[in-house]
Structure formats: C-alpha cells, structure tokens
Amino acid sequence: MGKKYYQEDIECAPREEISKWQSEGLVRSVRNAYENSEYYRGKMEERGVKPSDVKGVEDIHKLPFVSKEDLREAYPYGLLCRPLSECVRIQSTSGTTGRRVIAFYTQHDIDAWEECCARAIVAAGGTRDDVVQVSYGYGLFTGGAGLNGGSHKLGSLTLPMSSGSTERQIQFMQDLGTTILCCTPSYAAYLGETVSEKGLKGTIKLKAGIFGAEAWSEEMRRDIEEKLGIKAYDIYGLTELEGPGVGYECEEQRGMHICEDQFIAEIIDPNTGETMPDGEKGELVFTSLNKEAFPMIRYRTRDICVLSHEKCSCGRTHVRMAKPMGRSDDMLIIKGVNVFPSQIETVLINNGYSPNYQLVVDRVNNADTLDINVEMNQEMFSDTLSEISARERALVGALKGFLGIYARVHLVSPKSIERSEGKAKRVIDKRKLY
Ligand SMILES: [Zn+2]
C-alpha cells in the first residue's frame, strides 16, 4: 500500500492555513507581476491599483482580469517576469484558435507543477510501484511533460509513450503491465474501443486512468471505465497556469480538488465580472500564488463551472471544481440556445451510441442548422433502413427533449468518423467561414 496523499500536510491543511498561504501568495504574485512586467504594470495602473492596495485575498477583486486577448497581445515576452537566463522551459498551447500562448517556467515553477501532477497520480491510487503510461502528446503540449514529471516525482516507472501507434500502446500495456494510463478522454475511449473489440481486456492490468485536456461527460467516463476495466479520473489544467494538475479528482470522483496552495480560484459572472457566491455557476478565474516566470493574475479561463467548499470524504480540504461543461469557446449558440458538445455526448451515450460523433453547424436562410453525424454500432448497422430511420427519429426526439432545439441526425456506418489520438475535433462550424 502506498500513501493516500502525496503531500498530506498541504492537501489536508486546515482552511485558515490555506487562506494564509493565499493572502501571502497573492501579495507576492502581484508584486512580482507589477515590478517585472510592463504589461501587467500598465494594466494595474489603468485600473488605479498599486501592489500596496493588495494586502490579502480579500483585496483580489481590486485587480484587473487577464484574458486570452491579453496573452496574445503580450506575446511573446510581455508577461514574462524573470530574465530568460533564469527560465528553463517553454510550453505552448496548440494555437488552434489563433496565436499560440507561450508559457515560461523557472526550475521552481517546473517543480511546483510536477508536484501538482504527482498529487493527481496519488489521488488516483498511484504509488511508486505503479507503471504509468503517459499517452498524452509530448513536445510543446503540457499534457505529456506534466504527467511525465509527476510520475517521476512519485517514483513510478514512467513510460513516455506519447500519443498514437495504438497497437504499440496496447502491446506495451500487455508486456510491461501498465497500471495507470494518462491521455485525453477521446484517446482513452478509442483505446477502450480497440481493447474491447479485440477481446484484450483480460490481458491488461490497468487499474486507473487520468484523463484531461478536453471536456468529457459522465457517460463517457462510464463507457471508458467499462471498456478498460478501470476507474477513470479527471484532471484539469491550462498551459497559461502551468498545465495539467491545477485540479484533480480523488476517489470520490465528485469534482476536482484545486491546488489551493498554488492558485486562488474564483467564479465570476462572465458578463459583469462580478464574483459569484459559492455554488453558483459561472466563469472560472485563476490567480497563481508562487509562479516566478509567468505569474497569472485573475486569468479568465472561459471555462464555465461551479466550485464547492463542501467537505470531501477523502480528507483533502482544497476546494473542488465541477467538471467544466466545456470552454465557453466550445459553446455553440444555435438559434439563440447555448449548446455544449458534452451535452450532446450525454444524450448519445444514454441512448446506446458510442462517443464518436461530429457536429456540423451552418446557417441557411438566416437560420442556424445543426446536423449531427453519429456512428452506429455493429448490431444497429445490420438493421433495415426503416429501423435505422426510426432510430434517427428517436434520437432527434431525445436531443430535442434535452437541448430544446431541433437537430438533424444522420446515423453513419461504424468506424466512419475519424478517431482522435489527442483532442477530438467534434465541431465543424460553417458559419465561421462566411
Ligand atoms: Zn476528495
């Protein structure tokens, strides 16, 4: 048996102690940003705030927000607060929606990040006796580097597989007795599908998976757990903040504990910027407490979720965040209704379909249209045409009931939707092409 916590004194600290760390960290972080980044100093001056106005966590609302636009504007060095000679690493976002975000790390920043990832692995039941297969992409993406570092810190045997080469992934799981798998949920679903189709579930020793970097539903979690015979844990993070490990699930699997010794989490009303009371849904905002090279002060994540200070049975005292419904970037507005791909995924899995689908949004005669391509499984595929259209009608009804909008459903043959080895491409929004 390993330890139940990686850093018990931190993870289970009394709330008063956490507040003290947060107040001290905020003061330090604000000073670091103001003194070392002209961009931060400009933003604070514009708002009329000086570091001396921030004496503790209760003053956080005085500070201006940092948005993704700020990161783009300040690219590449505007928010950097240490000389490059003190930095040891750069990581970056994929840059699929505009200019890349580049984050800088000192060795101290890397160590703190990897400790957060080690906590996540231990919370998923990991010990130094585990074999951890990291099947996130390596390179500039933080997924591979973060979990790799966390696994090293813990002392587990680490397999830096990176993503892709599915056959080889499964071969290594079998030959080396992998017990913990780390990758995106869509890749875990694909690995699960392959393992289950080839009847290999009995030949692998996986017990847990740590899956993050994209929004996924509870239904998808159950699907992955069943196909791989594991417990599947969520992990949260952003390159802007460090990478994965900002928040992680414990054995309760009811929300992710945020590393509150490293970050202050707030929920704000995305329209007004006002702080929301505990338990209300809104946009998640983070402030880093200890980052040297790339501090983030009130960074707006665009993730919509809820925080809970309810006591957790695992003993950890850090606040929990609910699974985000998705980035507000991922949110589609169709005929005035907010739709997240993860909601559609919920309906599909509840109705017996696989999490392989694609949404096509378009505008025809000034009205939005939503078409959903959904894969049938093998049994459905052998149905007659009239049975297939009956299935389509049933799914249209289920989606209308859940989302409140009409979507055309097209059932397509098994395996016809491309599988993803990283983040899945679920949405084609043709409205953006005009
Ligand atoms: Zn817990």
Side-chain angles (χ1 to χ4, degrees), residues 248-255 257 311-318 320:
Y248 57 90
E249 272 187 335
C250 62
E251 75 256 18
E252 273 287 299
Q253 293 181 303
R254 285 185 57 218
H257 289 283
K311 203 166 184 270
C312 188
S313 68
C314 75
R316 290 178 183 82
T317 48
H318 295 217
R320 276 176 292 169

Side-chain angles (χ1 to χ4, degrees), residues 109-182:
D109 296 336
I110 293 279
D111 285 333
W113 172 29
E114 291 179 350
E115 279 176 2
C116 292
C117 290
R119 290 180 203 171
I121 298 171
V122 174
T127 70
R128 53 180 303 146
D129 298 325
D130 277 293
V131 180
V132 178
Q133 185 159 332
V134 183
S135 308
Y136 278 111
Y138 278 65
L140 287 168
F141 176 49
T142 51
L147 271 309
N148 189 94
S151 177
H152 269 243
K153 279 248 184 301
L154 180 57
S156 311
L157 179 60
T158 310
L159 302 185
M161 292 292 291
S162 197
S163 61
S165 314
T166 301
E167 300 267 316
R168 192 180 57 181
Q169 299 271 1
I170 296 171
Q171 187 74 52
F172 268 62
M173 280 182 203
Q174 293 172 312
D175 296 348
L176 301 170
T178 303
T179 49
I180 298 181
L181 172 68
C182 306

Side-chain angles (χ1 to χ4, degrees), residues 223-243:
D223 182 67
I224 294 170
E225 286 187 332
E226 202 238 290
K227 292 214 168 81
L228 288 173
I230 59 171
K231 228 176 142 175
Y233 295 86
D234 204 352
I235 186 167
Y236 178 85
L238 296 169
T239 306
E240 295 85 321
L241 297 171
E242 59 179 16

Side-chain angles (χ1 to χ4, degrees), residues 36-49:
N36 298 307
S37 149
E38 216 169 286
Y39 194 89
Y40 265 123
R41 188 160 58 245
K43 277 190 76 91
M44 285 188 228
E45 275 166 1
E46 208 174 286
R47 175 97 182 216
V49 207

Side-chain angles (χ1 to χ4, degrees), residues 84-104:
L84 284 173
S85 59
E86 283 182 37
C87 296
V88 299
R89 179 94 66 81
I90 284 172
Q91 303 279 172
S92 171
T93 59
S94 56
T96 43
T97 52
R99 212 186 224 176
R100 279 170 178 274
V101 168
I102 290 189
F104 300 85

